[in-house]
Amino acid sequence: MVNRELAMKEIFQRAKQIRILLTDVDGVLTDTGVYFSDRGEEFKRFSVRDGMGVQRLRELVQVETGIISGENSPSVQRRAEKLNIAELHLGIKDKLEVLRQIAHRWNISFDQCAYIGDDTNDIEIMRRVGLACCPADAMPQAKSVAHAICENIGGHGAFREFAELIIASKQ
């Protein structure tokens, strides 16, 4: 899971500071697939293990979660509601501005924020947070700025893997 440039010790030090874990959706919480029925309704596949990661972060180490996505998807909204996601931001073009708003609202620094993303639209926010991660199948540009790279791919436990790293650092 560790980026070769950073030792696990440094990643754990960064993870200990985290108060909120923010995530992209497509390619992180989903497998990048989008499905449409004959009526045009959109479907996305989510991992229940990732959902358990949200719950474990909140219950075990009091770390909240948030979603920042460029898409405006009703299925993501429903998933966030089911998981009681603290911050939900859909249809976002400037993810860094949303990070600023969240940090201000929560009265925390960027160093206390973690983010997991998988593509070029995540790079700017990944460069600013205290701990950045990406799934194993992320685009090379995202991997190049991540502090850690998951063994799992998007939609198949990458978020949970990152959540467990944060939990382990705080216990």
Side-chain angles (χ1 to χ4, degrees):
M1 167 165 218
V2 178
N3 187 323
R4 295 169 202 234
E5 295 180 22
L6 291 178
M8 193 61 154
K9 184 176 180 180
E10 182 179 343
I11 290 173
F12 263 63
Q13 288 301 321
R14 288 174 178 265
K16 284 180 186 179
Q17 306 304 312
I18 300 306
R19 302 239 336 258
I20 189 165
L21 170 53
L22 304 169
T23 182
D24 182 34
V25 176
D26 295 324
V28 177
L29 296 179
T30 74
D31 59 5
T32 72
V34 179
Y35 308 93
F36 293 90
S37 72
D38 292 341
R39 295 177 300 187
E41 295 171 314
E42 185 176 332
F43 296 92
K44 294 178 185 277
R45 178 196 168 279
F46 295 94
S47 168
V48 295
R49 288 187 179 149
D50 289 341
M52 180 61 75
V54 170
Q55 181 180 338
R56 287 174 52 79
L57 279 166
R58 186 180 303 117
E59 292 176 1
L60 297 177
V61 294
Q62 294 71 55
V63 170
E64 288 295 342
T65 54
I67 292 173
I68 306 174
S69 176
E71 298 295 319
N72 199 352
S73 169
S75 61
V76 174
Q77 183 164 351
R78 283 192 294 281
R79 182 70 173 147
E81 288 168 359
K82 180 174 178 156
L83 297 175
N84 295 314
I85 299 287
E87 294 279 345
L88 176 61
H89 303 272
L90 301 177
I92 302 302
K93 299 304 173 210
D94 187 349
K95 292 184 178 189
L96 187 55
E97 179 54 32
V98 173
L99 173 65
R100 285 186 185 102
Q101 293 169 10
I102 291 169
H104 177 76
R105 202 168 30 258
W106 288 63
N107 195 29
I108 58 177
S109 71
F110 286 2
D111 287 342
Q112 294 172 297
C113 302
Y115 185 84
I116 180 168
D118 72 309
D119 213 328
T120 56
N121 62 333
D122 299 310
I123 292 172
E124 191 174 10
I125 192 171
M126 290 174 73
R127 285 186 172 141
R128 299 298 297 274
V129 295
L131 183 60
C133 186
C134 63
D137 62 338
M139 296 303 297
Q141 300 93 324
K143 287 181 176 182
S144 73
V145 299
H147 298 111
I149 300 170
C150 293
E151 293 179 11
N152 291 309
I153 62 173
H156 295 274
F159 179 91
R160 174 72 178 270
E161 184 180 339
F162 191 34
E164 293 298 334
L165 181 145
I166 293 169
I167 292 166
S169 77
K170 293 176 173 280
Q171 294 183 324

